[in-house]
């Protein structure tokens, strides 16, 4: 089978539910019925394959239901299946007929210390090596998974009981586990933020999380736990527009500070990235190829100039990257920070709100109000800036259309996102004050 056939087989929910059911007894070491399987995400990989996320709900009879998150690596054409002895049998599922390798969490072939941060007893030892906790007496009460991406990163929320002379203090911390190179890069960004006005005690409440410490050898960085709700989770809540206003102020503040040396990211870099996505979609879903090709050609023809002042940009700024609590808005996740056009973040945020209107049509007017509140919070000025926002927004829409077409649940909205590109390029959108 080719990579296209393999991808379609690996994202066929009914087929994969049946196949995972046969594996449950082995990788769980216990009986259970797979009641539900959901494929929330699928990403193309640089090696020519795909990463595919599987969420499983397993009914364990008298013990109730258990949710398991797995990531599969669908191999590219030039890759060979790993030997089945590379990991303990219970840690690796191989569907050799379609070239799909599924490590059973917390085993991860690239994050070799990840099990040490999950398995009972070991997190305390690993956390105790971090300066923030070194030499202190504490117990790990709970380890909650916040996010995971195969071979890239895993984020936990730990609840700790800190033993003091006068009793026990319960605290929460957030830990990010990644490859040491990525942890080192994250540490540098935190060090840069420490000299800005975005620290946790910032008087205007526009912040980043406080850095607590790291163990680079084992690939972990520790941050403060910030209470609050993500902007995404507030869709449908009456506080959503106000929180969008704060998100606008937050990203504008990031654009106004100095963070020193960062890699550059240009419009040409964006076009190169989009070209790869279009090629992938054309190969997997040829019926969408013409629409994606036309959209890419239009974005290429409308490429913005380079006569703008670059500044620090987030490069992945959208509604899941901010936390909101009374008096505080917190920016998350700095893996893609770069020097670029500030309109990039603005356009990417607005494109994601376009996406949310199709995912949550019952909240369309609230989302439109939220986008207008974001515009007000950012306080952008000038037609040239708005023109650049429209271009980055169109580019983000094409990227989102490609990525979401790979997700079974959302493939149907890809064409809607492509249609949004024309209005975005022409300025016939929320930025011009026009409501749909």
């Amino acid at each position: 089978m080719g990579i296209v056939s393999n991808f379609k087989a690996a994202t066929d929910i009914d087929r994969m539910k049946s196949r995972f059911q046969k594996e449950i007894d082995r990788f769980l070491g216990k009986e259970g019925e797979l009641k539900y399987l959901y494929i929330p995400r699928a990403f193309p990989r640089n090696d020519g394959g795909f990463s595919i996320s599987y969420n499983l709900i397993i009914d364990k009879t008298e013990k109730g239901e258990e949710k398991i998150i797995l990531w599969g690596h669908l191999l590219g054409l030039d890759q060979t299946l790993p030997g089945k002895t590379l990991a303990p049998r219970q840690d690796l599922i191989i569907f050799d007929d379609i070239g799909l390798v599924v490590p059973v969490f917390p085993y991860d072939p690239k994050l070799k210390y990840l099990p040490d941060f999950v398995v009972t007893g070991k997190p305390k030892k690993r956390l105790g090596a971090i300066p923030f906790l070194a030499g202190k007496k504490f117990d790990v009460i709970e380890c909650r998974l916040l996010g995971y991406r195969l071979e890239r990163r895993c984020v936990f929320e730990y609840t700790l009981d800190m033993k003091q002379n006068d009793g026990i203090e319960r605290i929460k911390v957030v830990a990010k586990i990644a490859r040491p190179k990525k942890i080192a890069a994250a540490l540098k960004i935190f060090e840069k933020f420490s000299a800005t006005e975005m620290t946790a005690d910032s008087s205007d409440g526009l912040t980043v999380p406080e850095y607590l410490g790291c163990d680079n050898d084992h690939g972990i960085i520790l941050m403060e736990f910030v209470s609050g709700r993500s902007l995404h989770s507030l869709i449908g809540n009456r506080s959503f527009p106000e929180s969008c206003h704060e998100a606008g102020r937050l990203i504008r503040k990031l654009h106004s500070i100095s963070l020193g040396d960062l890699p550059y990211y240009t419009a040409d870099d964006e076009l190169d990235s989009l070209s790869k996505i279009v090629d992938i979609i054309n190969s997997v879903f040829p019926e969408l190829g013409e629409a994606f090709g036309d959209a890419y050609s239009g974005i290429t023809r409308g490429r913005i100039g380079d006569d703008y002042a670059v500044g620090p940009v987030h490069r992945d700024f959208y509604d899941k990257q901010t936390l909101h609590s009374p008096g505080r808005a917190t920016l998350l996740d700095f893996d893609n920070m770069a020097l670029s056009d500030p309109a990039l973040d603005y356009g990417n945020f607005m494109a994601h709100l376009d996406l949310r209107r199709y995912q949550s049509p019952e909240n369309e007017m609230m989302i439109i109000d939220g986008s207008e509140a974001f515009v007000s919070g950012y306080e952008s000025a000038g037609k040239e800036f708005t023109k650049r926002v429209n271009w980055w927004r169109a580019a983000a829409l094409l990227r989102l259309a490609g990525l979401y077409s790979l997700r079974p649940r959302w493939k149907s909205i890809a064409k809607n996102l492509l249609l949004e590109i024309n209005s975005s390029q022409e300025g016939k959108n929320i930025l011009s004050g026009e409501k749909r």
Side-chain angles (χ1 to χ4, degrees):
M1 297 176 71
I3 186 66
V4 174
S5 299
N6 287 346
F7 178 82
K8 291 182 177 180
T11 54
D12 183 321
I13 291 177
D14 291 334
R15 174 191 173 105
M16 294 311 297
K17 180 179 178 182
S18 174
R19 300 202 65 179
F20 273 116
Q21 177 63 63
K22 296 177 181 178
E23 298 287 343
I24 285 176
D25 293 351
R26 181 172 68 81
F27 75 76
L28 282 184
K30 61 193 77 173
E31 293 185 358
E33 180 184 357
L34 179 55
K35 303 289 291 185
Y36 181 71
L37 182 140
Y38 171 47
I39 302 176
R41 290 178 289 177
F43 295 98
R45 293 170 57 107
N46 293 332
D47 59 17
F50 292 86
S51 288
I52 304 172
S53 179
Y54 298 97
N55 287 6
L56 288 68
I57 301 295
I58 297 173
D59 185 355
K60 299 166 64 178
T61 60
E62 72 279 357
K63 296 182 179 180
E65 293 184 343
E66 177 180 353
K67 180 179 180 180
I68 297 177
I69 298 175
L70 301 175
W71 275 90
H73 178 187
L74 188 69
L75 303 181
L77 292 178
D78 297 330
Q79 296 177 293
T80 57
L81 288 167
K84 295 187 179 182
T85 60
L86 287 183
R89 180 176 173 83
Q90 68 271 20
D91 284 344
L92 200 65
I93 304 171
I94 298 178
F95 301 104
D96 51 8
D97 60 321
I98 58 175
L100 179 65
V101 180
V102 184
V104 178
F105 186 84
Y107 169 69
D108 188 298
K110 295 293 178 66
L111 306 180
K112 64 179 182 178
Y113 293 107
L114 180 57
D116 291 354
F117 295 104
V118 182
V119 179
T120 302
K122 291 186 178 180
K124 182 176 179 178
K125 177 181 177 181
R126 290 296 183 212
L127 294 175
I130 298 172
F132 174 72
L133 293 170
K136 298 180 181 178
K137 295 181 179 180
F138 65 93
D139 288 321
V140 180
I141 304 303
E142 183 181 10
C143 173
R144 187 164 73 93
L145 180 66
L146 299 181
Y148 175 54
R149 179 91 176 266
L150 178 67
E151 299 180 357
R152 295 187 63 176
R153 61 182 175 272
C154 191
V155 183
F156 294 117
E157 172 195 311
Y158 289 108
T159 300
L160 308 177
D161 272 357
M162 308 296 297
K163 298 177 182 179
Q164 313 286 350
N165 291 333
D166 55 350
I168 294 176
E169 179 187 9
R170 179 160 292 185
I171 68 169
K172 291 184 177 182
V173 295
V174 172
K176 180 175 183 179
I177 291 90
R179 282 179 267 183
K181 183 178 179 180
K182 292 292 185 181
I183 294 299
L187 176 58
K188 289 182 179 179
I189 293 295
F190 270 111
E191 290 173 343
K192 292 175 184 293
F193 274 120
S194 68
T196 72
E197 295 298 320
M198 292 193 72
T199 51
D201 58 355
S202 176
S203 60
D204 60 7
L206 305 175
T207 73
V208 296
E210 180 183 359
Y211 164 74
L212 300 178
C214 76
D215 178 355
N216 195 54
D217 291 339
H218 297 100
I220 180 172
I221 192 165
L222 212 61
M223 298 163 277
E224 71 163 317
F225 168 79
V226 181
S227 63
R229 295 179 61 181
S230 73
L231 182 59
H232 177 76
S233 72
L234 291 171
I235 295 175
N237 187 294
R238 61 184 180 182
S239 65
F240 178 75
E242 179 183 353
S243 296
C244 283
H245 184 272
E246 290 304 293
R249 294 180 61 228
L250 181 61
I251 199 63
R252 180 60 181 265
K253 184 176 181 180
L254 174 71
H255 293 162
S256 69
I257 66 176
S258 175
L259 289 177
D261 292 337
L262 292 169
Y264 282 89
Y265 190 83
T266 68
D268 287 337
D269 293 327
E270 183 76 354
L271 288 171
D272 287 344
S273 175
L274 293 177
S275 176
K276 295 174 184 176
I277 291 176
V278 171
D279 288 344
I280 290 168
I281 299 305
N282 190 44
S283 65
V284 178
F285 302 117
E287 69 274 16
L288 297 177
E290 182 177 357
F292 272 86
D294 289 347
Y296 178 76
S297 296
I299 292 171
T300 301
R301 288 193 301 270
R303 184 199 183 283
I304 58 173
D306 298 317
D307 53 343
Y308 52 80
V310 300
V313 300
H314 188 276
R315 272 196 60 219
D316 192 26
F317 182 67
Y318 67 112
D319 55 345
K320 292 185 179 180
Q321 301 287 34
T322 62
L323 286 178
H324 298 265
S325 53
R328 185 175 182 183
T330 305
L331 182 65
L332 306 175
D333 195 1
F334 317 117
D335 289 355
N336 297 305
M337 289 281 294
L339 289 174
S340 187
D341 182 3
L344 184 162
D345 286 336
Y346 195 132
N348 190 62
F349 183 89
M350 299 299 272
H352 276 81
L353 291 192
D354 291 329
L355 168 67
R356 302 308 180 212
R357 288 190 295 103
Y358 290 107
Q359 291 181 310
S360 182
E362 69 278 10
N363 293 309
E364 180 176 18
M365 292 310 300
M366 176 179 285
I367 294 170
I368 290 175
D369 289 343
S371 61
E372 292 175 341
F374 175 83
V375 172
S376 173
Y378 191 89
E379 296 181 344
S380 61
K383 292 183 179 180
E384 287 303 313
F385 181 79
T386 299
K387 181 179 179 180
R388 300 201 314 273
V389 166
N390 290 335
W391 188 85
W392 287 107
R393 182 178 186 171
L397 283 166
L398 179 57
R399 183 174 64 255
L400 289 171
L403 293 177
Y404 276 76
S405 68
L406 298 174
R407 306 180 184 188
R409 181 183 179 188
W410 300 115
K411 180 184 175 183
S412 62
I413 68 175
K415 290 184 178 179
N416 298 104
L417 297 178
L418 294 177
L419 290 174
E420 290 285 340
I421 291 175
N422 288 334
S423 64
S424 184
Q425 289 178 303
E426 296 168 3
K428 296 177 180 178
N429 52 44
I430 297 164
L431 287 172
S432 62
E434 297 181 11
K435 290 188 178 182
R436 292 169 173 78

